[in-house]
Amino acid sequence: MTGGTRWLLAGVAAMVAFIVPTVLCGMWLLSALVPDEAARWGVASALGAAVAAVSVLWGQGFAARPGRGSGTAGGPARSVQAPGTRAVAVGATVRGTISTGDGGVPCASPPAGRPAQGTVTAYPEPAAGAAPLGSVTASGERSVAVGDAVAGDISTGDHPSEEDRR
């Protein structure tokens, strides 16, 4: 679920949380206790505003939480570190190309049955309920660590030797 969808749902929840108690109290629940119509709707609006305020607090946590919306608000803290030379550590989904080498992603396809060294491609993305890693660290020279899905190419700049190409 995208962030915009979560914010939209949070706004709708806040609106419903205001309307339902206001109408219920103003039309039915408070009619026997508060005979004056203006006072009754004033109290009903105040009750609706109090319920909506609580739902706004929930909605902000729901809409601003990290991840794809399948975890709990706040979730586990994620540590992303890349102390190595030309190292890349990504705690979220990679949608594109990451290259730590001089030549970028190799454009020549490897021999049949042999993967290209230094290039990793993963399709499709993991299931939506997959738990993210708590820590992502790429500490070696030209190392790449990804804490979520990879929907692109990753190259460390290491090209196969002549012997590997045969």
Side-chain angles (χ1 to χ4, degrees), residues 1-2 17 20-21 24 33 37 43 48 53-54 56 61 63 72-73 77 90-92 96 111 132 137 152 156-157 163:
M1 183 180 312
T2 65
V20 169
L24 284 176
L33 296 174
E37 189 171 334
V43 170
V54 172
V56 165
T72 59
V90 181
T137 304
T156 60
E163 182 178 306

Side-chain angles (χ1 to χ4, degrees), residues 37-61:
E37 189 171 334
R40 181 174 65 235
W41 281 102
V43 170
S45 295
L47 288 172
V51 173
V54 172
S55 74
V56 165
L57 291 174
W58 166 83
Q60 191 277 333

Side-chain angles (χ1 to χ4, degrees), residues 86-116:
R86 289 186 169 177
V88 177
V90 181
T93 301
V94 174
R95 298 186 192 282
T97 301
I98 295 178
S99 176
T100 62
D102 298 325
V105 176
C107 54
S109 55
R114 299 188 96 177

